[in-house]
Amino acid sequence: MGLSIKVTDVKPDRDMNLIVSFENGVTKKYDTKQLLNQFPVYKKLKDEAFFNLVRVDCGGCAVAWDEDVDISEVELWEGGTPLTNS
């Protein structure tokens, strides 16, 4: 793994996607659906009201919904798709 890049902002988007901004100015879209079948704890994200509670956690090291459901900045960075500015 290379340099860790902290999350500065996260917004819920349609179809269980997150729009994640990083401290280096890059913004990526992350599809949380890929986690549903891998880890049972992520099934909570199917509830739209719960999904919309996402926030930046632990100084930018993750995004989180509650004490059980979070995604690390490394996973968001490596698994996210860069958004281009139009």
Side-chain angles (χ1 to χ4, degrees):
M1 182 186 93
L3 180 66
S4 175
I5 300 178
K6 302 292 185 222
V7 175
T8 58
D9 191 44
V10 62
K11 291 183 176 29
D13 198 24
R14 296 184 310 262
D15 202 24
M16 297 183 66
N17 289 300
L18 298 174
I19 304 301
V20 184
S21 299
F22 295 88
E23 66 184 355
N24 64 355
V26 173
T27 301
K28 293 189 175 191
K29 181 183 277 193
Y30 184 87
D31 184 355
T32 64
K33 290 187 301 297
Q34 63 188 322
L35 301 173
L36 295 178
N37 294 327
Q38 294 179 19
F39 307 101
V41 70
Y42 290 108
K43 295 212 184 291
K44 291 169 124 181
L45 299 180
K46 289 182 177 182
D47 178 333
E48 186 176 355
F50 182 79
F51 186 79
N52 289 336
L53 295 175
V54 67
R55 67 188 189 291
V56 177
D57 198 27
C58 67
C61 294
V63 300
W65 289 265
D66 64 16
E67 61 278 349
D68 297 322
V69 184
D70 61 17
I71 304 171
S72 75
E73 85 279 17
V74 174
E75 173 60 22
L76 294 165
W77 179 259
E78 294 178 356
T81 304
L83 296 178
T84 56
N85 295 332
S86 311

